[in-house]
């Protein structure tokens, strides 16, 4: 965990991570990603919070997004299992829509 000016970051620049789709209108899936930059932002109450500039692997950098920690997971076996489960759920849901 990295600390900058009193803000603790769970992830560091260059780290491979999994990131949820940040657009709430799209499916809840996890993408293989990389942390490009760590930033400090402020929440609605003026408190400093960590944010991450994320690059989604295989996507153009025009899709890079700044997200808060709740969107980012360590790239480990547990997170990969969750990624697989979410992808399977999306697949089942789209099959039901076509029927």
């Amino acid at each position: 965990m990295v600390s900058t000016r009193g803000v603790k970051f769970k992830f560091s620049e260059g780290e491979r991570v999994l990131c949820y789709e940040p657009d709430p209108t799209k499916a809840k899936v996890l993408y293989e990603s990389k942390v490009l930059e760590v930033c400090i932002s402020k929440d609605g109450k003026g408190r400093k919070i960590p944010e991450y500039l994320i690059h989604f692997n295989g996507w153009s950098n025009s899709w890079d997004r700044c997200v808060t920690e709740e969107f980012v997971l360590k790239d480990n076996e547990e997170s990969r299992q969750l990624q697989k489960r979410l992808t399977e759920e999306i697949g089942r849901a789209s099959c039901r829509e076509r029927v």
Side-chain angles (χ1 to χ4, degrees), residues 18-78:
L18 297 180
C19 184
Y20 283 104
E21 166 60 60
D23 185 340
T25 65
K26 296 185 178 168
K28 186 176 181 179
V29 293
L30 283 165
Y31 293 108
E32 294 179 18
S33 309
K34 180 180 180 180
V35 177
L36 297 179
E37 189 178 321
V38 294
C39 320
I40 297 174
S41 185
K42 291 191 177 181
D43 66 10
K45 296 180 179 179
R47 295 177 293 205
K48 293 179 182 178
I49 58 169
E51 282 193 343
Y52 303 91
L53 178 60
I54 298 291
H55 173 72
F56 298 95
N57 297 351
W59 293 81
S60 161
N61 61 359
S62 66
W63 292 99
D64 293 355
R65 295 290 182 263
C66 207
V67 300
T68 55
E69 275 185 350
E70 67 257 15
F71 286 94
V72 187
L73 299 175
K74 291 282 186 189
D75 187 357
N76 57 31
E77 187 59 33
E78 182 181 349

Side-chain angles (χ1 to χ4, degrees), residues 84-96:
K84 182 179 176 184
R85 209 166 43 249
L86 290 171
T87 301
E88 289 170 353
E89 288 173 11
I90 295 301
R92 283 194 299 272
S94 42
C95 284
R96 284 192 294 266

Side-chain angles (χ1 to χ4, degrees), residues 8-20:
K8 293 184 193 270
F9 293 91
K10 291 183 183 177
F11 309 98
S12 56
E13 289 182 10
E15 185 173 353
R16 301 263 175 215
V17 295
L18 297 180
C19 184
Y20 283 104

